[in-house]
Amino acid sequence: MENTRKLENDCVVRCDHIGKIFGEFETSHEVVKDINLNIKENEFVVIFGPGQCGKTTLLNLMAGLEQTTSGEVNVNGKPVTAPGPERGMVYQTTALFPWLTVMGNVEFGLKMAGVKKSKRRERAQYYIDLVGLKGFEKSYPVKLSGGMCQRVGIARAYCNDPSVILMDEPFGHLDAQTRYLMEEEIERICSTEKRTVVFVTNNIEEAIYLADRIILLTNCPATVKKEYVVDLPRPRSYVSPEFLELRELITSEMDEMDL
């Protein structure tokens, strides 16, 4: 089941020997160390590892929210130096504007880009419908459940038409039942709207259920310990023998880490 895959040179996301150190001198703390990673178009890659190992920092380097100490991140062949519209971000917390409605939140990026109201509303409505929130366009975040708020965040990320979607443990704060439902939903959305997705989680079942490829990181400082190609047919079953076999394999690798 474990496999390696040769990636083409025309990958969408490329991390070349990237590292990140916070602080200076005696107070410095190395969080990411010499990571090389290539991600292809329309590939769903899960960054998986123990809590506080550097997964979010790695994602923030791809997003341009943090700058590398060493190495370089490239997206679509261009160095990442700051956030950009070609990269959509879905956060751990919903990060919605509480004073805006569902429609206002989803269309916000297009509004800031100067897109005409009729055009941006049409596009926002498409993604609101896609994530299952038709009828809630005029609702404010305070009136929505946690799962519904994450749907708004996903719709907002897709609405700007990025080539890469970055997701930082978007379902980590949801209850178990809602989390399973959202995993099914993100698989449905990704099958409809093809994008390159980089998804951070510390939940092994979530990683196997969603990923085309899992990148297992070591404990901090984060380095790539192993990669797994997940070639299980979709939709996947959490209790299939193949699913459980891969879960056991990855767990055995994690058991060897200094957690």
Side-chain angles (χ1 to χ4, degrees):
M1 179 129 0
E2 186 181 352
N3 196 0
T4 56
R5 175 164 54 184
K6 184 179 180 180
L7 299 176
E8 291 82 353
N9 292 328
D10 58 347
C11 62
V12 176
V13 180
R14 182 190 299 276
C15 299
D16 290 323
H17 297 285
I18 64 171
K20 179 64 179 179
I21 298 174
F22 290 99
E24 296 181 350
F25 308 113
E26 292 85 359
T27 61
S28 67
H29 180 53
E30 188 174 30
V31 178
V32 173
K33 182 177 180 180
D34 195 30
I35 284 183
N36 292 286
L37 183 60
N38 294 331
I39 300 174
K40 296 197 303 183
E41 184 177 8
N42 297 334
E43 188 178 23
F44 197 118
V45 171
V46 170
I47 307 297
F48 176 67
Q52 308 300 316
C53 76
K55 301 184 299 295
T56 293
T57 298
L58 176 58
L59 199 73
N60 286 341
L61 294 172
M62 297 181 191
L65 298 172
E66 297 282 356
Q67 299 301 306
T68 61
T69 304
S70 58
E72 186 174 74
V73 180
N74 283 269
V75 173
N76 297 322
K78 298 180 180 179
V80 171
T81 57
E86 76 281 359
R87 284 157 285 140
M89 189 79 175
V90 181
Y91 299 91
Q92 291 182 19
T93 55
T94 54
L96 301 180
F97 298 119
W99 59 88
L100 294 180
T101 63
V102 168
M103 175 62 75
N105 272 283
V106 175
E107 70 169 354
F108 183 80
L110 296 180
K111 184 177 181 180
M112 293 299 98
V115 177
K116 291 183 179 180
K117 184 176 180 178
S118 59
K119 187 174 181 179
R120 70 174 187 259
R121 286 285 169 92
E122 179 182 5
R123 184 168 182 82
Q125 187 66 57
Y126 170 80
Y127 286 105
I128 290 171
D129 294 350
L130 180 67
V131 300
L133 289 178
K134 185 176 182 180
F136 291 91
E137 293 84 353
K138 296 181 180 180
S139 299
Y140 289 89
V142 70
K143 298 294 185 180
L144 304 177
S145 67
M148 294 171 76
C149 285
Q150 281 296 25
R151 290 172 190 257
V152 177
I154 292 167
R156 179 177 61 183
Y158 273 93
C159 194
N160 293 321
D161 196 28
S163 59
V164 179
I165 301 288
L166 305 172
M167 296 188 176
D168 185 11
E169 298 192 59
F171 312 141
H173 297 292
L174 304 178
D175 62 81
Q177 184 176 357
T178 304
R179 185 170 192 156
Y180 290 138
L181 176 62
M182 290 305 299
E183 288 167 4
E184 293 176 350
E185 282 294 280
I186 201 65
E187 183 180 39
R188 177 185 62 81
I189 292 166
C190 288
S191 68
T192 302
E193 285 286 314
K194 299 293 186 182
R195 295 290 194 286
T196 300
V197 179
V198 185
F199 188 103
V200 163
T201 185
N202 59 13
N203 183 291
I204 189 169
E205 287 86 4
E206 185 170 74
I208 298 171
Y209 185 81
L210 292 173
D212 295 321
R213 184 163 50 114
I214 297 171
I215 310 299
L216 176 62
L217 300 183
T218 65
N219 211 339
C220 192
T223 60
V224 176
K225 181 176 180 65
K226 220 136 198 189
E227 298 187 16
Y228 304 86
V229 174
V230 186
D231 54 5
L232 304 180
R234 299 178 185 273
R236 292 169 181 165
S237 168
Y238 293 96
V239 295
S240 72
E242 297 81 8
F243 191 103
L244 295 175
E245 180 186 350
L246 182 56
R247 184 190 189 282
E248 183 178 358
L249 175 63
I250 298 175
T251 300
S252 70
E253 294 290 350
M254 292 188 68
D255 287 344
E256 297 173 5
M257 298 162 64
D258 296 325
L259 301 181

